[in-house]
Amino acid sequence: MSASPRVVRKPIGNWLEDFVPGQLFRHKGGKTVTEGLFTTFTEFAMTTNPLAKNARYARAYGFDGLVCPPGLVMLIAFSQTVEDVSENARANLEYIDMRFGAPVYVGDTIEVETRVLEITGSKSNPKLGVVHVQSTARKNIGGRDEAVVLTWQRKVQVWKRDEAAELHTGKVEPDAIECSLWLPAFQPTRDYKAMAHLSNDDTYFEDFEPGTRIEHSRGRTMTKEHIHLTAILDNTSQVHCNQFMIDLDPKQYVGGELIIFGGIPFVLCLGLSCPNVGDNALGDLVYKTGRHTAPLFAGDTVFAATDILGKRDLEGRDDLGVVETRLLGHKFVKAKEGETDPNAPEGWKKVQIFELDRDVVVKRRSHYA
């Protein structure tokens, strides 16, 4: 009888004590944007901007073809960082200074690298701490159209492997990454107005009034489809897909059930807001800060609202303006006995799940309609 085989259990991902300030991860794999990936997330998120729906429209505006919505670019880039940065995370805490650059099309290949900026231990839980990183996504590296498409910082709460392990505390400054939103030039000879019927007629720069809250009317109920959506992005974080792991120690994991990958409510809130805020946008300029304020689980329904915070001119472009917004996502949960919420139907409580400070580049009616 043969001897028992040698058993090797290979750990994947980094724990809190593995991170070192200044460390650079060049993430494995990369991801080519296929038509299937593009269609799946554009339709799932209920995106309405014709740049992502109508190739004739997109080309008429000066793009090479259908344009990946900013939320999809973020999903593809973010997911590549998971194995190295957040495979062993408890929660994603904050997005910071997320800036968009070159447009992304079907067929483009996105690759990402991440620098560790800071590690801090938790004062209340010796098993936890926060890793602050900066990630940069580039497309078509080595090609004639190589370009930065996205750069951002995030803070993520990560578990320790060994509670007694010493941390590599410290801090480095973020890299200076040039990343400016590419916008097609306005062409006075083009008949943009002939295509104005393909987008909503009340979402031009002139239509937004600071101090307004727009309650978006659509919602989307999340089912266990989130496991499939997370998998096709190559996001391998076990808190999104491994219920057995959670069942072994439910108190360690939020809610004792699979948490929906934060990028999904992120992109879904963007999509739900699109008919009222993004239908006449040419791009998202920057997400100054964003965070998840409560987890999302299968069975929850996502809704969104947008606060219009301000408006400003876009330097060098009299055909466009910047609308400063705060995107808010929420869900409703059953209220406890005797509990009331004036912001929810009777028997329910409104729970905010997401917020994002978002600057959007929007067409002016004076030039396009």
Side-chain angles (χ1 to χ4, degrees):
M1 186 174 180
S2 61
S4 298
R6 182 173 68 97
V7 176
V8 177
R9 182 172 177 81
K10 298 183 70 173
I12 297 176
N14 293 293
W15 302 81
L16 187 65
E17 62 264 38
D18 297 325
F19 292 98
V20 180
Q23 184 177 16
L24 181 68
F25 294 106
R26 301 182 70 188
H27 303 298
K28 295 186 296 186
K31 192 84 166 174
T32 298
V33 183
T34 63
E35 288 185 2
L37 192 64
F38 180 94
T39 302
T40 295
F41 283 95
T42 302
E43 307 307 335
F44 162 77
M46 307 174 81
T47 300
T48 61
N49 189 312
L51 293 175
K53 312 287 280 189
N54 186 324
R56 179 180 77 88
Y57 183 98
R59 292 191 181 100
Y61 271 82
F63 294 97
D64 291 348
L66 292 175
V67 183
C68 283
L72 175 55
V73 177
M74 176 268 175
L75 282 180
I76 294 171
F78 182 100
S79 295
Q80 291 181 42
T81 72
V82 168
E83 182 175 315
D84 291 318
V85 176
S86 51
E87 180 89 21
N88 298 306
R90 180 179 182 272
N92 193 59
L93 300 179
E94 185 179 11
Y95 308 95
I96 305 165
D97 190 31
M98 184 177 287
R99 292 176 282 127
F100 293 88
V104 175
Y105 306 107
V106 172
D108 284 345
T109 298
I110 296 175
E111 299 177 35
V112 186
E113 63 182 27
T114 295
R115 186 172 298 282
V116 178
L117 302 181
E118 186 176 15
I119 300 96
T120 53
S122 170
K123 295 179 180 179
S124 59
N125 189 337
K127 295 181 179 180
L128 281 171
V130 175
V131 180
H132 182 182
V133 299
Q134 176 189 33
S135 298
T136 300
R138 296 175 173 85
K139 74 171 187 176
N140 305 337
I141 293 175
R144 60 176 178 78
D145 57 344
E146 175 181 343
V148 173
V149 299
L150 181 64
T151 187
W152 77 101
Q153 296 176 39
R154 70 162 166 147
K155 293 182 178 181
V156 58
Q157 192 177 48
V158 179
W159 293 105
K160 274 186 168 184
R161 181 195 297 109
D162 176 5
E163 184 176 330
E166 291 292 324
L167 299 183
H168 301 283
T169 56
K171 183 177 182 179
V172 299
E173 292 302 311
D175 294 332
I177 304 294
E178 175 56 38
C179 184
S180 299
L181 181 65
W182 183 88
L183 292 165
F186 178 76
Q187 301 287 346
T189 57
R190 286 185 178 167
D191 190 4
Y192 298 106
K193 296 181 181 182
M195 294 180 294
H197 66 286
L198 295 172
S199 62
N200 285 331
D201 62 4
D202 61 350
T203 56
Y204 291 95
F205 181 76
E206 293 91 336
D207 296 311
F208 294 101
E209 183 178 343
T212 303
R213 171 168 290 187
I214 303 171
E215 294 280 358
H216 308 301
S217 60
R218 291 173 177 155
R220 169 78 84 179
T221 299
M222 293 303 307
T223 67
K224 289 187 177 179
E225 67 183 325
H226 74 86
I227 301 173
H228 166 72
L229 294 171
T230 303
I232 63 176
L233 289 163
D234 298 326
N235 183 330
T236 53
S237 178
Q238 295 293 281
V239 296
H240 308 314
C241 65
N242 188 338
Q243 184 64 53
F244 181 72
M245 176 193 76
I246 293 172
D247 289 343
L248 291 176
D249 190 2
K251 291 183 179 179
Q252 179 164 304
Y253 300 99
V254 178
E257 57 183 302
L258 294 178
I259 300 173
I260 293 175
F261 163 42
I264 290 177
F266 191 123
V267 73
L268 186 51
C269 288
L270 287 169
L272 292 172
S273 73
C274 196
N276 307 124
V277 175
D279 218 45
N280 279 300
L282 287 188
D284 282 12
L285 191 66
V286 62
Y287 302 155
K288 297 171 185 174
T289 184
R291 62 193 181 101
H292 301 281
T293 52
L296 189 69
F297 303 106
D300 290 340
T301 300
V302 178
F303 298 92
T306 297
D307 288 341
I308 307 302
L309 304 180
K311 294 166 62 173
R312 67 180 189 270
D313 295 335
L314 181 63
E315 186 177 355
R317 296 293 297 261
D318 60 3
D319 61 308
L320 304 171
V322 178
V323 181
E324 300 164 359
T325 74
R326 177 167 294 140
L327 177 62
L328 303 167
H330 65 272
K331 65 180 182 179
F332 294 99
V333 299
K334 289 288 182 68
K336 296 178 181 178
E337 187 175 351
E339 189 176 33
T340 60
D341 185 345
N343 298 310
E346 185 177 352
W348 294 86
K349 182 172 70 170
K350 183 178 180 180
V351 177
Q352 184 175 313
I353 61 171
F354 178 67
E355 64 180 45
L356 183 73
D357 283 5
R358 172 193 184 199
D359 286 4
V360 190
V361 177
V362 181
K363 298 180 294 185
R364 293 182 188 264
R365 176 182 284 104
S366 58
H367 288 69
Y368 291 96

